[in-house]
Amino acid sequence: MADGTKDIFRQLYLWVLIFITISLPLSIYFMSVGSFLLLALWLWSDFQSSVAIRFFKQKGFVRGFFIFVKYLWTLAKESSVEKTKLFLRNKAALVFAGIFLLGVAGLLFTANFDHATSDLRIKLPLLLFPLIFSSSKKIDHSSFRKLMLFYIAALLVGTLIGAIKLVSGNFLNVREFSPFISPIRFGLNISFGILVLGYFTVKDDYFNSTQKFFMGILIVWFVWFLMKMESLTSLSLLLLIALGILTYSGFKTQKLWLKTALVFIVILIPAGSYLYLKKEITRMTTVPAETLKNPAKYTKLGHKYIFDTLHFGIEDGRYVGAYLCIPELKKAWNKRSSLRFDGKDKKGNPVEYTLIRYMTSRGLRKDAAGVSRLSDKDIGYIQKGIANYYYVEDPGLHSRLLTLIKGWQVYKKTGNAGGSSVLQRYEFLKAAILLVKRNFWTGVGTGDLIESLGEQYRLMHSGIGKYYGFIAHNQYIDVFVAFGIFGFLYFLFALVYPPLKTRSFNDYFFVAFYAIMLLSMFSDDTLETHSGLTLFAFFSSLLMFGKEKQQKPLSRKIKK
C-alpha cells in the first residue's frame, strides 16, 4: 500500500474509533453503524483508490465495475485470511473472544432459538472487537488521548441534555435523564469519564493548568449529574475505585506524612459514608417525640382528625397517617381532579394512598385546607402516580434513599418486592440461585435464561410479575444459570487471563475501566444489553489489544 493511502487509512481508522466512542453514551444505532464501518476498514485496509480508478479508465464503466467488485472481494478475502491468522495466534484475544463462543456452545442446551439468536446477535462485539484490534496496528497514546477527549465531549452533551430535562421539570422518573441508553449504562460511561479526567488532571502533562481546571469542573459536574440521576451503582463504584487508588498510592509513596494522610482518608471516607447513611435512615424512619404533642384535633372546617400511625407508617420522618380527615380530603380532591378519590392513578395505585403520601411529603395536613394548597402541578403529579414531592422536584440521593426505605417497608410488611429495584435484585438473585442448583452442570442454555427465570419468579410469588422479562441482575450468576459450572469457570478465566497475558493491569485506563465493569457485574446484567455489551467489548479490546501500552506504571512513584 502506498504511504499516502496508508496514512488516509490510519486517519479513517481513528475517526471510526472516535465515531464509536461518541456513540457509546449517545446512540445504540450508531454503535452498530460504527462497528460495521470498523469491520469494513479491517477488510479493505489495503484498498488503493488509484488501482480502482484505473479499472474504470481502462475497461469502461460496466466492465470496470465488475472488475472493481472482484477487486473488493479479493481484498476482503485476502485481508480476512491474513488478519484472522494474526488473531488466532494471539492467545489473549482468542480467549477473550471465547466469551462469545460460550453463547454458541449454549445452543446445545437451549429450547428457545429465537431468544438464543437474538442474544448472540447482541454479543457479536465480543468477537468483532478482539478480532479487529488484535490484528490491526495499535493506536499511540496521542491518538488515544484524542479519542478520550471526544468521549468526554459526548458525555458532556449527554449530561447537558439530561440536565435540560431536569431543569424543565418535564419528567416523571430520573431514568428520563438518560434519553439515549439505559441510565445504568450511561452511569457506567460517566464513571469511566470521571476516572479518565482524573488521570488527565493529575498525571498528564500535555494539558496546561487552565485546561486541568476546566477538567476539574467537569468531574464535579459529572458527579453532580450522577447524584441527580440517583445512580447509586455508579457512585458506589467510583467510591470503591477511589479508595483503591488512594490505598495503592499510600503503599507506593515513601513520604510518611503522605502515607499517614492517605490512610486517614481511606478510613474517613467509608466511615463518614456509613455515619451519614445511618443518620439519614434513622431520621427518615423515626418521628421526633414532640411531633404529636398537643396536636390539633379538628380541621378548620370543624371535622375531626384521625391519627393512624400504624397503617400508613412513617415516611421521611413524618407519620403519613397523621392529621388525616378522609371525608374532607375526598370531597376536596374530587373537586380538583378528574380522577376519583376512590379510583386508581395512572400507575395503577389507589389515588387515596398516593394523595396522602404526597401531601405528607409536602408537609400538608390531609384535609380540605391542605388540598387547596396543592398547585395544579402537584395535582398532575398525583394523578400520574407520584407519591412523594422529592421524586420529581428534588431528585438525588435523598429521594433515592426514600424510595429504598419505602420499598423495604412494603417488602417487610407484604413480601412484595415490586416497590424497590434493590429488593427486586434480591428476589432475582434468589430465583437465579435456585436455577443454578437445578442446572449446575450444563445451565439452561443460551436462549432460555429469561424464560426460566420468569417462571421461577412466578413460582416464588415475589410480587414482581410485571418484571417477568428481567434476569438476575448479576452477570456472574446469569452466566452460571445459562452455561453451568464449566461455562462459568471459563467466563472467569476469560476475564482474568487476557489482561494478565497482555500486561494490561499496568495501564491505568484499563484498570479503571475494567474495575468499573467487573464490579458493575455484581449488581447488573452488564453484558445482556447492546449498550452495556458494546461498551465492555469495545474498551476492553481496545485497551488490551488496540492501544500501545503506557510506558509509565499505573501510578508514578512519589519521590522522597
Side-chain angles (χ1 to χ4, degrees):
M1 185 192 296
D3 289 339
T5 305
K6 187 178 293 187
D7 290 340
I8 292 173
F9 166 76
R10 293 302 301 171
Q11 287 298 314
L12 283 174
Y13 180 71
L14 178 59
W15 281 107
V16 170
L17 293 183
I18 290 172
F19 181 81
I20 296 173
T21 303
I22 292 172
S23 302
L24 290 173
L26 297 180
S27 174
I28 292 175
Y29 172 75
F30 284 114
M31 288 181 208
S32 299
V33 172
S35 300
F36 281 114
L37 289 174
L38 191 63
L39 178 61
L41 284 176
W42 183 76
L43 289 171
W44 290 294
S45 59
D46 291 329
F47 176 81
Q48 295 185 48
S49 57
S50 58
V51 174
I53 292 171
R54 189 164 65 244
F55 294 150
F56 291 99
K57 282 184 177 181
Q58 295 179 353
K59 304 297 182 180
F61 180 78
V62 177
R63 289 188 64 193
F65 175 77
F66 285 105
I67 296 173
F68 175 69
V69 170
K70 183 180 179 181
Y71 172 63
L72 291 180
W73 170 254
T74 302
L75 280 179
K77 184 174 66 173
E78 292 177 353
S79 180
S80 60
V81 170
E82 289 302 315
K83 291 181 177 179
T84 300
K85 289 179 181 178
L86 292 175
F87 166 67
L88 293 176
R89 287 199 292 266
N90 190 320
K91 292 180 181 179
L94 200 59
V95 168
F96 191 71
I99 298 175
F100 173 80
L101 298 180
L102 270 180
V104 177
L107 293 175
L108 296 172
F109 307 102
T110 189
N112 192 328
F113 279 91
D114 288 337
H115 281 172
T117 52
S118 176
D119 186 66
L120 288 176
R121 178 181 55 80
I122 290 174
K123 289 185 169 59
L124 267 175
L126 282 171
L127 176 63
L128 179 68
F129 290 130
L131 171 65
I132 291 175
F133 290 134
S134 66
S135 57
S136 302
K137 185 179 178 181
K138 299 182 189 319
I139 62 172
D140 58 25
H141 188 69
S142 176
S143 297
F144 179 74
R145 182 191 293 118
K146 183 177 182 180
L147 186 74
M148 298 315 295
L149 289 175
F150 273 97
Y151 182 58
I152 298 299
L155 292 174
L156 179 60
V157 169
T159 55
L160 287 173
I161 293 171
I164 290 171
K165 191 80 171 177
L166 168 64
V167 173
S168 71
N170 185 28
F171 66 94
L172 296 177
N173 193 300
V174 292
R175 295 178 62 85
E176 296 176 43
F177 297 164
S178 176
F180 306 113
I181 62 174
S182 95
I184 293 176
R185 256 59 73 179
F186 191 39
L188 296 180
N189 276 279
I190 294 173
S191 299
F192 184 43
I194 290 171
L195 294 177
V196 169
L197 284 171
Y199 181 90
F200 286 164
T201 303
V202 176
K203 295 289 186 180
D204 200 327
D205 296 332
Y206 176 82
F207 301 101
N208 60 42
S209 57
T210 302
Q211 292 168 330
K212 290 185 176 185
F213 176 76
F214 178 69
M215 289 178 181
I217 293 174
L218 278 181
I219 291 174
V220 174
W221 166 260
F222 286 148
V223 171
W224 174 86
F225 187 83
L226 288 177
M227 294 174 66
K228 283 300 177 182
M229 200 166 65
E230 300 180 4
S231 185
L232 289 184
T233 298
S234 296
L235 290 169
S236 300
L237 294 178
L238 282 174
L239 181 61
L240 287 173
I241 294 170
L243 290 174
I245 292 173
L246 290 172
T247 302
Y248 180 84
S249 300
F251 279 114
K252 295 295 290 183
T253 182
Q254 300 300 313
K255 294 183 177 181
L256 182 59
W257 70 267
L258 184 56
K259 188 185 292 286
T260 304
L262 289 173
V263 169
F264 177 75
I265 293 171
V266 167
I267 295 173
L268 182 64
I269 291 176
S273 301
Y274 169 76
L275 292 175
Y276 167 77
L277 287 174
K278 183 179 179 181
K279 180 182 177 182
E280 281 295 291
I281 292 171
T282 301
R283 185 189 66 78
M284 291 177 180
T285 56
T286 57
V287 179
E290 64 274 10
T291 298
L292 293 182
K293 282 185 178 180
N294 303 316
K297 295 182 179 181
Y298 297 94
T299 70
K300 290 182 179 180
L301 297 180
H303 297 106
K304 192 171 184 178
Y305 283 122
I306 61 173
F307 294 84
D308 185 347
T309 59
L310 296 177
H311 178 260
F312 288 98
I314 298 170
E315 192 164 353
D316 202 11
R318 299 186 180 101
Y319 285 118
V320 178
Y323 294 105
L324 182 60
C325 181
I326 295 295
E328 281 192 23
L329 194 61
K330 180 176 181 179
K331 185 176 180 180
W333 172 261
N334 286 339
K335 287 181 179 179
R336 297 282 309 269
S337 172
S338 58
L339 293 183
R340 298 295 85 188
F341 183 81
D342 298 322
K344 302 282 187 181
D345 61 35
K346 293 181 180 179
K347 286 186 178 180
N349 299 314
V351 169
E352 174 185 357
Y353 188 58
T354 304
L355 172 62
I356 291 171
R357 285 186 60 202
Y358 188 90
M359 293 182 71
T360 301
S361 73
R362 278 289 199 182
L364 300 174
R365 295 181 178 183
K366 278 71 74 177
D367 56 17
V371 173
S372 69
R373 293 178 62 184
L374 293 173
S375 67
D376 290 340
K377 193 175 185 180
D378 290 325
I379 298 296
Y381 285 151
I382 296 165
Q383 291 174 334
K384 292 172 181 176
I386 305 300
N388 193 298
Y389 161 80
Y390 285 103
Y391 294 170
V392 286
E393 289 294 329
D394 190 19
L397 295 183
H398 178 77
S399 61
R400 180 63 172 153
L401 200 53
L402 284 173
T403 306
L404 292 174
I405 292 171
K406 188 62 183 178
W408 168 248
Q409 291 171 341
V410 172
Y411 180 74
K412 189 168 64 171
K413 186 176 181 180
T414 67
N416 188 328
S420 168
S421 61
V422 173
L423 293 171
Q424 287 162 20
R425 280 170 165 78
Y426 173 66
E427 291 293 310
F428 295 154
L429 193 59
K430 281 167 55 179
I433 290 173
L434 289 172
L435 282 178
V436 164
K437 291 178 179 178
R438 291 205 300 268
N439 303 273
F440 184 80
W441 297 107
T442 62
V444 299
T446 300
D448 290 7
L449 182 60
I450 293 176
E451 189 174 334
S452 298
L453 283 169
E455 178 61 19
Q456 187 61 48
Y457 303 151
R458 187 187 66 78
L459 293 173
M460 288 168 54
H461 304 289
S462 300
I464 50 175
K466 62 181 179 180
Y467 298 99
Y468 184 86
F470 281 48
I471 41 185
H473 279 278
N474 183 307
Q475 187 63 56
Y476 303 103
I477 299 297
D478 283 340
V479 171
F480 209 139
V481 172
F483 307 120
I485 180 62
F486 298 113
F488 174 69
L489 292 176
Y490 180 83
F491 179 69
L492 296 181
F493 174 70
L495 292 177
V496 175
Y497 173 76
L500 287 175
K501 179 70 174 176
T502 57
R503 298 183 180 180
S504 296
F505 286 123
N506 292 326
D507 186 322
Y508 168 86
F509 297 103
F510 176 81
V511 172
F513 176 75
Y514 221 51
I516 289 171
M517 299 308 291
L518 296 192
L519 289 172
S520 75
M521 292 182 193
F522 284 103
S523 64
D524 195 53
D525 312 299
T526 307
L527 307 186
E528 303 303 322
T529 63
H530 184 66
S531 56
L533 187 283
T534 304
L535 173 66
F536 174 76
F538 177 78
F539 273 125
S540 296
S541 301
L542 176 66
L543 293 167
M544 282 193 288
F545 315 120
K547 167 185 169 290
E548 291 180 357
K549 299 303 178 187
Q550 282 182 263
Q551 297 302 312
K552 297 174 183 177
L554 177 63
S555 177
R556 288 195 299 243
K557 188 173 181 179
I558 302 173
K559 296 180 180 179
K560 293 183 180 181

